[in-house]
Amino acid sequence: MPNNKNKYLEELNAEQISAVENLSGPLLVLAGAGTGKTRVLTTRLSHILRLNQATPSQIFAVTFTNKAANEMRERVESILSRSVAGWWLGTFHSLAARILRKHAELVNLKNNFTIIDSDDQIRLIKQILVSENIDEKRWPARTLLSIIQRWKDSGLNPQDINKSHYSGSDFANGEAGQLYKLYQERLITLNASDFGDLLLHVINILKINKDIRVQYQEKFKFILVDEFQDTNAAQYYWLKVLSSKHKNICAVGDDDQSIYSWRGADVNNILNYEKDFKNAKIIRLERNYRSTGNILSAASHLIANNESRLGKTLWTKDEEGDKISIRNVYDGQEEARSISDEIESYQRNRHNINDVAILVRASFQTRSFEERFLKIGLPYQVIGGLRFYERVEIRDAVAYLRLINSPDDQLAFERIINKPKRGLGEKTFQKIEFYSRSKAINLETAIRRMNETDEFTAKIRLSMKLFIKNLDRWRNHIKSDKLGDLLQMVLEESEYTDMLLKDKSIEAPGRLENLKELVNAINEFDSLSNFLEHIQLVMDGGANSSVESVKIMTLHSAKGLEFNTVFLPGWEEGIFPNQKSLDENGKIGLEEERRLAYVGITRAKTNVWIFNASARLMHGQWIDSIPSRFIDEIPEKYVTKISSFADVIPEYQSGFSSKWISSISKKNSQSIDEIIVQGSSSPNSNIVNDKKLHEGERIFHQKFGYGTILNIDGEKVEIKFEKSDTKKVLMSFIEKTT
């Protein structure tokens, strides 16, 4: 039992106290979600100082984010009642920068070196590509930056690079390694470092200079690491070197929450801890202080399907609570409606919607919720990212559509004239602007006229003629084509899609998905002008952070957060688990996707809602959806399964995973307008009517129920539904009543 001198230990449980008091040798604290890992880490640091085991300057405490570092500082200051200013307590990058400033000359830098951001990195790489006569359009600077960052995260210098390190990325016909070398040389010339260099340079200093290596190894008697499962190869090596003298390294983390492999994190760092740190002790924190029993049991059974884990089982002394609700809906629109209905009910019962979160697997999923919430006036915030229509790729695509709709839209013209690159330099564009002003004509007309003169070089003239030709053709398709087809044409023929396909940065796949979702969005409108007006209304209805609001974010952004109620939409194969992750990484990818599901469930204190749709509108086409395998991995005793079909087809309740609509695949090759008309549900070929229908007849529709036919136009039937509005649906989706 803690004595009076150690009152700060009294609120800890037995496992937490053990983690605090074990001060000899390597220690791994496996801290499950909501088990108080930050408290353990900060209390351990304070305990070391209270017992005079080390001075503040002899403790190296590192975490990943400034937020976490600040929280650690505040807690330690509260326990010790003293300032921690000047202590070795901060993020990997801040502590690395501190060491590098002291020894910068050893890597040919001055101690006043500049730390450049991603924009400066891109600008520098573009300069190098130009100097090496490499076509930046074919080999984007952002792709090379992503490759270089990956190498730095792995602790690789330019001289270390060989063919085995390319990972299938043959940038510039195998020149990436040489370009990396030139990039590093240029940084040295500029007396600059990027974020990857901060750790890499320090590693190089420790490797090369024995005296400095020994100095820091002797200096730091205790090393504390937060979120250890998120460390990359370079960070891991750094920690191993620094701890090799005293061996008092305490790593706090959760292998079940390792979800950042796409940015270099290696779950094997925590899985192999006992191998790499001899005589390491493992303490498991399993008592959860956040979630109800049912939530924890469901999450534990789900994650138990992973083979690559050290193993632990979360539990709580609190009540079992409500079961997890798993709801099947028709489509994405109904998913948004159902979730908004639940949130409004939550609000009516005087609950604070600040404590409600919608956690999506991919950022494109936010659109349907944003538009639904704006429509009904439900306040929301997109956390950790931009709102859908604020995203760069969406703004670019919309700018193309604005220019197609109105040649006088100068701002749209300026945005997209050189995106993707069309060879227009700043001087050439200034010439176009001057001509436009002097002739009192818009920029597009200016280019049309200048194409007939000798004011452009032959290369630019050819590029501008193609651009104008495309604009004319796109405008001719405004009324003859479906809007989604038009947008896809624009994205492909402008080479915007190709630009993103060549971009190998971690953001590029998400941007492509967002554009696909924009195609879905535009297909909901009958004219381009109406769609553009809709966007303006959406943008003007922005979120107000000063009022209570629902939080919308990706599952990755939600890590470390907690909410009373959590909604998890889109639990369908292909969306979650993500198909790209499965295709590229196989079993390893699947296990990380499962860890992500585990993170999502364990964000909730009392209520979890999981949604899956029977059909999704993807790329302007309906596809049938298969429920996520993660749903079946949660034992039925912890869940309540609900289906939107239940009030129409009662027998549907008897089977959840086996009775999905099977006929949608027959429609996959058809466009949205061929499958569904104005507000109808996802198609179901089980409802087929081969009898002749007449105006005034009473019919039945699977989603909308009973109604009366108002008008028949070929296969399109206008119906006044008894429990809904008047809608147009296809004849094949209704049946006569008897």
Side-chain angles (χ1 to χ4, degrees), residues 376-388:
I376 65 175
L378 186 66
Y380 75 93
Q381 286 181 274
V382 177
I383 306 298
L386 298 170
R387 292 186 295 157
F388 183 80

Side-chain angles (χ1 to χ4, degrees), residues 569-625:
W571 277 44
E572 300 137 33
E573 292 292 312
I575 295 179
F576 195 35
N578 179 267
Q579 192 61 50
K580 185 173 183 289
S581 180
L582 300 184
D583 292 342
E584 293 181 355
N585 303 300
K587 180 183 174 183
I588 293 173
L590 173 60
E591 293 208 343
E592 180 153 329
E593 290 291 298
R594 188 175 284 113
R595 292 194 291 268
L596 197 54
Y598 172 84
V599 167
I601 292 173
T602 55
R603 298 311 92 197
K605 298 177 185 176
T606 59
N607 295 107
V608 175
W609 291 79
I610 295 173
F611 281 75
N612 69 285
S614 294
R616 288 277 176 186
L617 187 58
M618 305 292 287
H619 319 167
Q621 296 179 341
W622 285 105
I623 63 169
D624 57 333
S625 299

Side-chain angles (χ1 to χ4, degrees), residues 245-432:
K245 169 72 175 177
H246 299 287
K247 303 186 187 305
N248 294 324
I249 178 171
C250 173
V252 180
D254 184 3
D255 54 324
D256 291 334
Q257 296 189 73
S258 180
I259 59 174
Y260 296 121
S261 65
W262 48 274
R263 67 183 190 195
D266 188 350
V267 69
N268 289 308
N269 291 347
I270 192 169
L271 295 178
N272 296 331
Y273 192 86
E274 285 184 283
K275 290 181 185 177
D276 294 340
F277 296 91
K278 302 300 181 185
N279 302 314
K281 184 173 183 179
I282 296 182
I283 295 174
R284 287 171 168 81
L285 304 185
E286 297 176 307
R287 181 181 175 182
N288 179 281
Y289 295 91
R290 175 188 300 158
S291 307
T292 61
N294 272 316
I295 291 174
L296 296 178
S297 295
S300 294
H301 278 84
L302 172 67
I303 199 64
N305 288 278
N306 273 8
E307 294 179 10
S308 300
R309 61 188 297 261
L310 297 172
K312 62 185 175 307
T313 302
L314 300 183
W315 62 277
T316 180
K317 285 187 176 180
D318 296 334
E319 61 185 23
E320 290 301 297
D322 294 336
K323 293 183 178 182
I324 290 177
S325 296
I326 300 179
R327 176 173 288 183
N328 167 244
V329 293
Y330 288 88
D331 54 26
Q333 287 189 342
E334 186 174 348
E335 182 180 63
R337 285 195 301 271
S338 297
I339 290 176
S340 67
D341 288 346
E342 292 296 335
I343 295 172
E344 286 188 310
S345 175
Y346 190 85
Q347 194 177 34
R348 284 194 298 272
N349 290 328
R350 299 183 178 181
H351 293 294
N352 192 330
I353 60 173
N354 277 333
D355 215 15
V356 176
I358 299 172
L359 310 182
V360 299
R361 174 61 182 87
S363 61
F364 77 86
Q365 293 174 263
T366 70
R367 183 191 67 90
S368 59
F369 299 105
E370 291 184 57
E371 297 207 354
R372 175 65 183 172
F373 294 170
L374 285 166
K375 183 178 180 180
I376 65 175
L378 186 66
Y380 75 93
Q381 286 181 274
V382 177
I383 306 298
L386 298 170
R387 292 186 295 157
F388 183 80
Y389 290 108
E390 291 174 339
R391 296 164 191 170
V392 172
E393 64 280 3
I394 301 300
R395 286 186 177 273
D396 289 344
V398 170
Y400 270 102
L401 295 174
R402 285 168 49 190
L403 185 61
I404 292 168
N405 188 63
S406 173
D408 292 321
D409 194 330
Q410 305 288 86
L411 293 176
F413 187 97
E414 290 174 11
R415 184 177 185 94
I416 55 87
I417 182 60
N418 212 31
K419 191 180 287 187
K421 300 290 184 185
R422 296 188 174 90
L424 248 66
E426 187 175 342
K427 288 184 178 179
T428 303
F429 189 73
Q430 288 175 352
K431 191 183 292 185
I432 297 169

Side-chain angles (χ1 to χ4, degrees), residues 529-720:
S529 58
N530 286 344
F531 177 63
L532 295 173
E533 182 179 329
H534 168 75
I535 292 175
Q536 291 306 311
L537 293 173
V538 169
M539 296 297 288
D540 290 342
N544 186 349
S545 61
S546 65
V547 300
E548 291 181 11
S549 59
V550 178
K551 307 301 184 289
I552 307 175
M553 68 192 80
T554 64
L555 286 159
H556 287 100
S557 298
K559 187 171 173 292
L561 304 178
E562 61 181 41
F563 305 90
N564 189 66
T565 298
V566 167
F567 292 93
L568 302 170
W571 277 44
E572 300 137 33
E573 292 292 312
I575 295 179
F576 195 35
N578 179 267
Q579 192 61 50
K580 185 173 183 289
S581 180
L582 300 184
D583 292 342
E584 293 181 355
N585 303 300
K587 180 183 174 183
I588 293 173
L590 173 60
E591 293 208 343
E592 180 153 329
E593 290 291 298
R594 188 175 284 113
R595 292 194 291 268
L596 197 54
Y598 172 84
V599 167
I601 292 173
T602 55
R603 298 311 92 197
K605 298 177 185 176
T606 59
N607 295 107
V608 175
W609 291 79
I610 295 173
F611 281 75
N612 69 285
S614 294
R616 288 277 176 186
L617 187 58
M618 305 292 287
H619 319 167
Q621 296 179 341
W622 285 105
I623 63 169
D624 57 333
S625 299
I626 301 172
S628 171
R629 68 192 74 187
F630 300 150
I631 291 176
D632 284 335
E633 291 174 358
I634 303 174
E636 291 200 0
K637 64 180 178 179
Y638 303 121
V639 304
T640 299
K641 292 178 178 178
I642 308 166
S643 172
S644 296
F645 302 118
D647 58 339
V648 178
I649 307 174
E651 67 269 19
Y652 187 87
Q653 293 182 8
S654 63
F656 193 74
S657 309
S658 61
K659 292 190 176 183
W660 305 101
I661 296 176
S662 61
S663 62
I664 302 171
S665 58
K666 300 175 184 177
K667 309 283 186 178
N668 280 353
S669 62
Q670 297 176 315
S671 68
I672 179 174
D673 286 344
E674 294 171 314
I675 297 172
I676 188 171
V677 184
Q678 189 182 328
S680 69
S681 70
S682 308
N684 184 342
S685 67
N686 292 326
I687 301 176
V688 177
N689 192 320
D690 52 10
K691 298 179 181 179
K692 191 168 180 68
L693 297 171
H694 303 281
E695 294 179 4
E697 267 190 302
R698 194 166 184 258
I699 55 82
F700 173 79
H701 185 280
Q702 182 183 4
K703 180 175 181 179
F704 301 116
Y706 294 97
T708 302
I709 296 176
L710 299 179
N711 182 55
I712 299 175
D713 181 13
E715 287 294 305
K716 299 177 183 179
V717 186
E718 186 177 13
I719 302 169
K720 175 64 176 75

